[in-house]
mmCIF file of all heavy atoms in Angstrom:
data_model
loop_
_atom_site.group_PDB
_atom_site.id
_atom_site.type_symbol
_atom_site.label_atom_id
_atom_site.label_comp_id
_atom_site.label_asym_id
_atom_site.label_seq_id
_atom_site.Cartn_x
_atom_site.Cartn_y
_atom_site.Cartn_z
ATOM 1 N N LEU A 73 48.912 -82.687 41.038
ATOM 2 C CA LEU A 73 50.300 -82.268 41.185
ATOM 3 C C LEU A 73 51.223 -83.432 40.868
ATOM 4 O O LEU A 73 50.906 -84.592 41.159
ATOM 5 C CB LEU A 73 50.584 -81.810 42.616
ATOM 6 C CG LEU A 73 49.671 -80.762 43.255
ATOM 7 C CD1 LEU A 73 50.132 -80.493 44.678
ATOM 8 C CD2 LEU A 73 49.670 -79.493 42.441
ATOM 9 N N SER A 74 52.370 -83.117 40.305
ATOM 10 C CA SER A 74 53.386 -84.144 40.142
ATOM 11 C C SER A 74 53.968 -84.481 41.515
ATOM 12 O O SER A 74 53.894 -83.680 42.459
ATOM 13 C CB SER A 74 54.493 -83.660 39.211
ATOM 14 O OG SER A 74 55.238 -82.616 39.831
ATOM 15 N N ALA A 75 54.555 -85.668 41.618
ATOM 16 C CA ALA A 75 55.177 -86.061 42.888
ATOM 17 C C ALA A 75 56.289 -85.097 43.264
ATOM 18 O O ALA A 75 56.471 -84.760 44.444
ATOM 19 C CB ALA A 75 55.710 -87.490 42.779
ATOM 20 N N ALA A 76 57.028 -84.614 42.254
ATOM 21 C CA ALA A 76 58.139 -83.704 42.522
ATOM 22 C C ALA A 76 57.642 -82.384 43.101
ATOM 23 O O ALA A 76 58.239 -81.838 44.044
ATOM 24 C CB ALA A 76 58.925 -83.459 41.242
ATOM 25 N N LEU A 77 56.539 -81.854 42.554
ATOM 26 C CA LEU A 77 56.004 -80.590 43.064
ATOM 27 C C LEU A 77 55.445 -80.780 44.476
ATOM 28 O O LEU A 77 55.637 -79.922 45.346
ATOM 29 C CB LEU A 77 54.921 -80.054 42.132
ATOM 30 C CG LEU A 77 54.254 -78.746 42.559
ATOM 31 C CD1 LEU A 77 55.277 -77.637 42.759
ATOM 32 C CD2 LEU A 77 53.191 -78.311 41.546
ATOM 33 N N MET A 78 54.746 -81.870 44.706
ATOM 34 C CA MET A 78 54.213 -82.121 46.041
ATOM 35 C C MET A 78 55.335 -82.202 47.072
ATOM 36 O O MET A 78 55.254 -81.617 48.159
ATOM 37 C CB MET A 78 53.400 -83.417 46.043
ATOM 38 C CG MET A 78 52.891 -83.822 47.425
ATOM 39 S SD MET A 78 51.744 -82.606 48.136
ATOM 40 C CE MET A 78 50.271 -82.973 47.169
ATOM 41 N N GLU A 79 56.402 -82.893 46.732
ATOM 42 C CA GLU A 79 57.524 -83.014 47.652
ATOM 43 C C GLU A 79 58.172 -81.661 47.910
ATOM 44 O O GLU A 79 58.508 -81.328 49.058
ATOM 45 C CB GLU A 79 58.557 -83.994 47.102
ATOM 46 C CG GLU A 79 59.726 -84.249 48.034
ATOM 47 C CD GLU A 79 60.704 -85.267 47.489
ATOM 48 O OE1 GLU A 79 60.524 -85.723 46.339
ATOM 49 O OE2 GLU A 79 61.664 -85.616 48.210
ATOM 50 N N ALA A 80 58.321 -80.860 46.850
ATOM 51 C CA ALA A 80 58.938 -79.541 47.006
ATOM 52 C C ALA A 80 58.086 -78.631 47.877
ATOM 53 O O ALA A 80 58.618 -77.870 48.704
ATOM 54 C CB ALA A 80 59.160 -78.910 45.631
ATOM 55 N N LEU A 81 56.758 -78.683 47.727
ATOM 56 C CA LEU A 81 55.869 -77.871 48.558
ATOM 57 C C LEU A 81 55.921 -78.318 50.019
ATOM 58 O O LEU A 81 55.867 -77.490 50.936
ATOM 59 C CB LEU A 81 54.440 -77.957 48.030
ATOM 60 C CG LEU A 81 54.154 -77.200 46.729
ATOM 61 C CD1 LEU A 81 52.784 -77.564 46.181
ATOM 62 C CD2 LEU A 81 54.265 -75.691 46.932
ATOM 63 N N GLN A 82 56.028 -79.599 50.251
ATOM 64 C CA GLN A 82 56.124 -80.093 51.621
ATOM 65 C C GLN A 82 57.404 -79.598 52.300
ATOM 66 O O GLN A 82 57.392 -79.257 53.487
ATOM 67 C CB GLN A 82 56.073 -81.617 51.632
ATOM 68 C CG GLN A 82 54.702 -82.180 51.323
ATOM 69 C CD GLN A 82 54.703 -83.696 51.261
ATOM 70 O OE1 GLN A 82 55.607 -84.316 50.708
ATOM 71 N NE2 GLN A 82 53.682 -84.310 51.829
ATOM 72 N N VAL A 83 58.468 -79.545 51.528
ATOM 73 C CA VAL A 83 59.722 -79.029 52.082
ATOM 74 C C VAL A 83 59.610 -77.534 52.340
ATOM 75 O O VAL A 83 59.992 -77.031 53.404
ATOM 76 C CB VAL A 83 60.896 -79.335 51.124
ATOM 77 C CG1 VAL A 83 62.164 -78.621 51.600
ATOM 78 C CG2 VAL A 83 61.133 -80.831 51.031
ATOM 79 N N GLU A 84 59.057 -76.805 51.367
ATOM 80 C CA GLU A 84 58.951 -75.349 51.488
ATOM 81 C C GLU A 84 58.097 -74.952 52.693
ATOM 82 O O GLU A 84 58.410 -73.992 53.405
ATOM 83 C CB GLU A 84 58.355 -74.762 50.203
ATOM 84 C CG GLU A 84 58.083 -73.270 50.247
ATOM 85 C CD GLU A 84 59.347 -72.438 50.402
ATOM 86 O OE1 GLU A 84 60.403 -72.843 49.870
ATOM 87 O OE2 GLU A 84 59.275 -71.373 51.046
ATOM 88 N N PHE A 85 57.028 -75.678 52.929
ATOM 89 C CA PHE A 85 56.103 -75.313 54.008
ATOM 90 C C PHE A 85 56.195 -76.294 55.173
ATOM 91 O O PHE A 85 55.210 -76.516 55.881
ATOM 92 C CB PHE A 85 54.675 -75.249 53.453
ATOM 93 C CG PHE A 85 54.463 -74.130 52.480
ATOM 94 C CD1 PHE A 85 54.545 -74.361 51.109
ATOM 95 C CD2 PHE A 85 54.218 -72.842 52.919
ATOM 96 C CE1 PHE A 85 54.368 -73.335 50.204
ATOM 97 C CE2 PHE A 85 54.042 -71.802 52.025
ATOM 98 C CZ PHE A 85 54.120 -72.051 50.653
ATOM 99 N N SER A 86 57.372 -76.851 55.386
ATOM 100 C CA SER A 86 57.561 -77.831 56.455
ATOM 101 C C SER A 86 57.293 -77.225 57.834
ATOM 102 O O SER A 86 56.721 -77.884 58.711
ATOM 103 C CB SER A 86 58.972 -78.420 56.390
ATOM 104 O OG SER A 86 59.946 -77.392 56.508
#
Side-chain angles (χ1 to χ4, degrees):
L73 308 179
S74 68
L77 179 56
M78 175 63 76
E79 184 178 4
L81 287 170
Q82 288 177 318
V83 172
E84 175 64 34
F85 293 97
S86 59

